[in-house]
Amino acid sequence: MTNDKKVQKFVKKYKKFYERYWVGQQTLLYNGKKYYMGFYQAFKKDTGAVFFTLDSGGASKVEYREAFEWFIISIRRLATIRDLGEERRNINMIGFKTTKHFLESVLNEVSLSSEEHRLFQEGIKSISKSLKLQDDLLKLMKNFDQFYNSKSPDHLYSTDDVQYLQRVNNEIDYIQYAQVKGFHDSISLFKRIRDVVNNNNEVKKLTNHDVKTYINEHCKGKESIRKNLDDITFIQGADQMNKDEYIDAVQREFLERQRRLNIDLMKELRYPNDLVL
């Protein structure tokens, strides 16, 4: 939240007597002007907002609208990165690592049939992909943390900064999708691996309670995981897309939804109150 008295005074000017108000933490730099957003709330319900610049000359309706769109994108993208990114970052991958180590031990120490060997190799490949995606996420979030910390205390974002937020957000979306899809697609494989574990005495000797638990977990809930997969993406034909195609499609879908949402958001503005074209 900015402590600039002029900014606070402007937001206070449009409040109603029973409302509380505050200035959003972020500031947008657009065409050389700084834009702020103030919010109002009464009885724990949002009641309106103002979007403004105090820089000399003001802004045209078109420029206000463009700046507003960039500002809302920055708010939404930043919130999603911090929520979804943190959630994905904190996923416990110990089960994947333990299972991968077990599968590798079996390949190194047990004489398997060609089909059993193939199954265990495919299992390692599947888990390695999930672990690689998680490593990519950790690096992505580390870089984001550095970027976000560099914005303190002013939290001033240019359009280039907002573009960066969009790339990070889209990358997180892809990683989440790819991890869940990989888990879903490997369920049948791990059911066959479980059969080998249960029926091959040499393999069974290398198995412990944790390994059995993780493999069993990997065999469960195909329908619920399919539903989870459907819930996290609205992209038609995602199964047939590579990473770049998926990210491009997610970006287009986000912007289309954002434009529709902006129309309603603009109607809630007390200042300016004529941005809807």
Side-chain angles (χ1 to χ4, degrees), residues 250-266:
V250 166
Q251 175 68 3
R252 289 194 302 271
E253 178 68 19
F254 172 85
L255 291 178
E256 288 175 7
R257 289 171 177 269
Q258 187 61 53
R259 290 187 187 103
R260 295 194 294 269
L261 177 63
N262 282 346
I263 294 174
D264 290 332
L265 292 175
M266 289 173 186

Side-chain angles (χ1 to χ4, degrees), residues 93-104 119-135 179 182-183 186 189-190 193 211 214-215 218:
M93 302 299 287
I94 187 65
F96 287 85
K97 294 176 181 178
T98 299
T99 304
K100 180 173 180 283
H101 177 73
F102 163 73
L103 297 176
E104 290 171 338
L119 290 174
F120 278 68
Q121 281 188 320
E122 288 297 313
I124 292 171
K125 182 179 177 181
S126 174
I127 290 176
S128 295
K129 184 177 180 180
S130 292
L131 291 173
K132 173 62 166 56
L133 286 166
Q134 191 65 17
D135 284 343
Q179 284 181 322
F183 195 95
S186 65
L189 169 64
F190 275 88
I193 290 174
V211 168
Y214 295 137
I215 291 178
H218 213 121

Side-chain angles (χ1 to χ4, degrees), residues 43-61:
F43 310 111
K44 297 184 179 180
K45 290 185 178 181
D46 296 331
T47 52
V50 291
F51 181 70
F52 60 100
T53 178
L54 297 180
D55 290 335
S56 61
S60 67
K61 181 177 178 180

